[in-house]
Amino acid sequence: MEINVGVVSRPRNVDWKRAAALLYGDWGTSKAYVTGLAFAAAAFSSFWLVLGVSILTAIVGINYLWICKYFPDGGGVYTSAKNHSMRLALVGGFFLVADYIVTASLSAFDASHYLGLDEHARQWAIGAIFIIGILNFWGPRHSGTIAVLLGIPTVLTVILLAVFSIPYVMTHPVRLEPLTLGIWGSWRAFVGVILALSGVESIANMTAVMKKDPESSDLHPSVKQTSSRSIWVVMIEVCVFTTLFGFVMLAMPSPQGHDADMLRYIGLTVGGEWLGLMVSLVFGCLLLSAVNTAMASLVAVLYLMTFDDELPRPFASLNRYGVPWILMMIAILIPVFVTDIVNDLEGLASLYAIGVVGAILINLVSCAFNKNLPMPRHERIIMLGTGALLLCVEITIAITKPGALLFVLVILGLGFAARQIHKVGSAKAPVPVESPGAVYNLADEGGPVDLDQISGGKILVAVRGITPSLRFAIEESKARKCALYVLYVREIAVSIPTGPGRWQDDPVATDIFDKSRQLAEGMPLIPVYANSNLPADTIVEMACVLGVDFVILGTSERSGLINFMKGNIVQDVIGSLPENVHLLIYG
């Protein structure tokens, strides 16, 4: 048997529950400020705006059910628009960048209000963005886990708030008034509170890591079941409870002035101090988690553009923890600047919708006009109809909110300027950029390895350099007459997958594999290279794919703080490795 060059796809380890929790951490935060902003726009006739936003949110969610079905390897706006034009994909990507910038600012600002820091909300918001950004320089891998852990108490709190609210509205007058702003005034007010759409785009980017449907294969994956369940659960929660609280707030004694913390005010009114405190803490933490998610997503989108050779290559520079540090600096400084300049919730909200609506619009239209997608006629018609409605929304925002138009034009201008500078300065053949996808390459420049002569099985050793564990693995392989796989995982703390990376383009990997061959002195040794944001999962995946008998790891050299933030690789491997694979920890 011979080992030739091969590629194994990124592990799909996100089930529908985890996908729903990650989606809810972004999409589910909208109810924290949509209701209050609607009341600020239309007072006691605001319920009709909230109801309209919830209906549109449901329609857009159904469109994304189809997008996830047709793009099982990632179907965000950048991916779908590339099927038509790279420039269109970049416009969609920069719309997302604008969305994530304002998401980070708005979420941090609103979190300050929910946590009772109203007097100096701007300063606290800026401080929160700085702290969360600095923590991300270590590439904390627990952000997804935090979103999952926060999702459960948030849903329970929302249900509890609803349980106390329903009896309250049954015993107190509800001032439900008709819209009196006229057609144009009502449409403008509706457009101003359309923020509930933010977050839905994230589910499309997540399909590449979702678990496949049982009947699908690696060559033809399908994540329809996983994505559908996660979208339906979150969409129903968002639409139903946003509408409910939009109605409940009309029974509050004095809802004016609570646009930034309406749910906390409802909790205080219907349940007392304890419920108000619970709502404050849960939604405050959820909003801070949304800041982290937005910053990570901003880095991921820009990194993906850099990988496609559309932005300057220095943007892909990684620190020792696999974080694109230049992009992380951008993800900190721009939201801080926006928060400092636009220091109120309504001002930030006015910048918000133009980015997310533009990205969703481009995604829907790109899919509807993609003739290669096996899409039924009714789906295309609904997508085009939804896109036409969002186009009207986008035009209205551009006309009525010149600040938002200027903001997104600045983002587009800076983005395309950086691209042009890069293209002019790199007219020659591009240098490959490290891929954030967990894609594995098996290769041996010395030719294929004949494993028929090997009688002692297979050993996999995961290394970060020429370590004692590598030397021990080589000696064990010689003694047992085993084939030895030397795995080097280049950790890249970016979640969006791209194409395969090459170990020949990584000087660290090249040095490790060259020296490993010298130490092996002619024994069968196969280098295995991976780019991954989850090294432990990659080690386990490779052990299963290669069918090894032993996995050898060295002891962790990370400090306690880094282990807390990024996780202990050895412990994570122990918890996931199949029972038929033996683990040996050396050192």
Side-chain angles (χ1 to χ4, degrees):
M1 180 176 66
E2 294 182 342
I3 297 292
N4 294 306
V5 178
V7 177
V8 181
S9 62
R10 174 192 177 113
R12 294 178 176 270
N13 52 11
V14 176
D15 60 12
W16 76 266
K17 295 182 289 295
R18 187 174 180 84
L22 292 169
L23 175 61
Y24 186 72
D26 195 355
W27 205 3
T29 58
S30 61
K31 68 174 70 66
Y33 39 76
V34 167
T35 51
L37 289 170
F39 190 89
F44 290 97
S45 60
S46 58
F47 171 76
W48 306 111
L49 301 181
V50 175
L51 179 61
V53 168
S54 296
I55 293 172
L56 179 58
T57 300
I59 294 173
V60 171
I62 291 172
N63 279 270
Y64 272 80
L65 288 171
W66 300 329
I67 291 175
C68 292
K69 177 175 65 176
Y70 296 119
F71 289 93
D73 294 315
V77 59
Y78 185 75
T79 301
S80 62
K82 273 200 295 187
N83 292 309
H84 301 282
S85 164
M86 177 55 75
R87 289 186 180 274
L88 182 63
L90 289 171
V91 171
F94 290 132
F95 270 127
L96 269 186
V97 168
D99 172 41
Y100 291 138
I101 289 170
V102 185
T103 297
S105 300
L106 181 63
S107 298
F109 192 85
D110 205 33
S112 300
H113 283 285
Y114 268 90
L115 294 173
L117 306 172
D118 306 74
E119 187 175 352
H120 302 288
R122 180 181 63 176
Q123 291 87 336
W124 283 105
I126 290 173
I129 294 171
F130 261 118
I131 293 172
I132 292 171
I134 294 301
L135 291 176
N136 272 283
F137 273 100
W138 282 274
R141 52 156 290 184
H142 291 308
S143 57
T145 303
I146 291 172
V148 174
L149 294 177
L150 285 175
I152 297 173
T154 303
V155 172
L156 293 177
T157 302
V158 168
I159 294 173
L160 190 63
L161 187 60
V163 168
F164 277 84
S165 296
I166 293 173
Y168 184 90
V169 298
M170 295 177 67
T171 56
H172 292 76
V174 179
R175 294 180 57 185
L176 179 58
E177 299 177 357
L179 283 170
T180 58
L181 303 174
I183 296 177
W184 174 242
S186 298
W187 172 254
R188 287 187 59 179
F190 170 75
V191 168
V193 296
I194 208 166
L195 284 66
L197 295 180
S198 181
V200 68
E201 177 73 12
S202 64
I203 192 68
N205 288 316
M206 211 184 300
T207 58
V209 295
M210 288 182 183
K211 289 185 176 180
K212 301 191 304 294
D213 297 339
E215 69 278 5
S216 67
S217 64
D218 291 332
L219 292 178
H220 302 285
S222 171
V223 294
K224 180 181 177 181
Q225 294 181 20
T226 304
S227 60
S228 296
R229 289 177 182 176
S230 57
I231 291 175
W232 276 114
V233 168
V234 178
M235 183 174 66
I236 291 173
E237 196 276 349
V238 169
C239 295
V240 170
F241 286 108
T242 300
T243 304
L244 173 63
F245 296 133
F247 182 78
V248 170
M249 71 179 175
L250 303 182
M252 298 296 102
S254 55
Q256 294 88 350
H258 290 283
D259 53 319
D261 62 346
M262 183 61 75
L263 296 188
R264 180 179 69 166
Y265 176 62
I266 293 175
L268 284 169
T269 305
V270 303
E273 292 286 342
W274 71 271
L275 186 55
L277 179 61
M278 179 182 294
V279 173
S280 296
L281 292 176
V282 169
F283 273 93
C285 293
L286 186 68
L287 287 163
L288 291 177
S289 175
V291 176
N292 181 68
T293 302
M295 296 175 74
S297 300
L298 174 58
V299 170
V301 169
L302 292 174
Y303 192 93
L304 186 57
M305 295 180 188
T306 307
F307 176 78
D308 284 342
D309 198 36
E310 297 296 330
L311 290 177
R313 296 189 193 103
F315 283 1
S317 300
L318 306 175
N319 65 13
R320 60 177 298 188
Y321 303 109
V323 176
W325 65 272
I326 296 177
L327 296 181
M328 184 54 66
M329 287 292 294
I330 294 173
I332 295 173
L333 295 178
I334 297 182
V336 164
F337 177 76
V338 170
T339 306
D340 188 48
I341 296 298
V342 187
N343 57 2
D344 63 88
L345 189 69
E346 290 188 23
L348 290 170
S350 68
L351 302 180
Y352 200 0
I354 194 167
V356 64
V357 171
I360 295 172
L361 167 62
I362 293 174
N363 200 350
L364 296 185
V365 173
S366 296
C367 293
F369 283 106
N370 187 343
K371 296 181 179 180
N372 294 322
L373 296 179
M375 189 181 297
R377 186 175 182 180
H378 74 275
E379 291 182 1
R380 292 187 190 274
I381 292 174
I382 294 174
M383 275 194 179
L384 286 174
T386 307
L389 178 59
L390 293 179
L391 178 60
C392 295
V393 171
E394 191 79 347
I395 293 172
T396 303
I397 297 172
I399 294 173
T400 61
K401 299 181 185 299
L405 178 61
L406 176 62
F407 172 70
V408 78
L409 288 177
V410 168
I411 297 299
L412 288 169
L414 291 174
F416 277 102
R419 177 181 184 269
Q420 185 62 28
I421 292 172
H422 166 62
K423 292 296 185 181
V424 170
S426 58
K428 296 184 178 181
V431 178
V433 176
E434 292 170 290
S435 163
V439 180
Y440 320 106
N441 291 325
L442 283 65
D444 192 326
E445 290 179 349
V449 177
D450 185 1
L451 297 182
D452 290 333
Q453 301 178 3
I454 304 301
S455 58
K458 306 173 186 177
I459 293 177
L460 172 70
V461 57
V463 299
R464 289 183 174 273
I466 306 303
T467 59
S469 60
L470 173 62
R471 299 177 187 275
F472 173 77
I474 291 174
E475 295 301 321
E476 280 294 302
S477 298
K478 289 180 178 179
R480 295 174 180 268
K481 296 184 178 180
C482 290
L484 177 62
Y485 294 93
V486 179
L487 170 62
Y488 174 69
V489 181
R490 182 65 169 104
E491 186 173 1
I492 302 181
V494 177
S495 58
I496 295 180
T498 61
R502 285 167 33 91
W503 64 268
Q504 292 91 344
D505 300 322
D506 187 332
V508 176
T510 302
D511 182 64
I512 290 173
F513 293 149
D514 287 345
K515 291 180 179 178
S516 297
R517 287 195 182 94
Q518 295 174 11
L519 292 172
E521 297 176 342
M523 63 162 282
L525 183 149
I526 305 97
V528 186
Y529 179 73
N531 284 320
S532 174
N533 65 326
L534 296 172
D537 288 1
T538 302
I539 294 170
V540 173
E541 182 77 6
M542 286 311 306
C544 297
V545 168
L546 298 174
V548 302
D549 304 291
F550 291 90
V551 172
I552 298 177
L553 301 176
T555 54
S556 176
E557 299 178 356
R558 290 173 169 173
S559 66
L561 175 62
I562 301 303
N563 279 331
F564 171 76
M565 296 174 63
K566 296 177 70 65
N568 186 297
I569 292 178
V570 174
Q571 292 180 356
D572 291 343
V573 171
I574 291 174
S576 304
L577 203 64
E579 293 183 357
N580 62 321
V581 180
H582 303 287
L583 176 65
L584 195 154
I585 303 171
Y586 184 85

